[in-house]
Amino acid sequence: MGTIGVAYRLCPRCFRAVPAASGEKYCPNDGTRLLEACPRCQAPITSPYARFCVVCGQGFGLAASRGGKA
């Protein structure tokens, strides 16, 4: 696997994304802890527009992490 450009942290509630290097851990919009990687396979989030993992297909939304649809 090649190197990734920029990794992102993503809010699973509102989908706000920030570069991982920003140091933000919580979403300023709603206080939700930001995802640092796919919760299923731990692949890095490489797009600020991602809604699903490009490696395993796991949804990043809160409903998906609870077993529902994102």
Side-chain angles (χ1 to χ4, degrees):
M1 192 181 251
T3 61
I4 60 168
V6 176
Y8 292 89
R9 288 193 177 109
L10 180 72
C11 177
R13 183 171 303 226
C14 73
F15 292 109
R16 179 180 182 270
V18 297
S22 73
E24 292 181 41
K25 300 283 185 183
Y26 293 89
C27 180
N29 295 334
D30 52 46
T32 303
R33 181 149 178 102
L34 300 175
L35 294 176
E36 297 188 27
C38 173
R40 181 186 291 161
C41 73
Q42 300 305 306
I45 299 169
T46 58
S47 169
Y49 308 107
R51 299 298 178 261
F52 297 88
C53 178
V54 297
V55 175
C56 73
Q58 170 70 36
F60 292 145
L62 283 177
S65 66
R66 294 185 189 133
K69 292 185 180 180

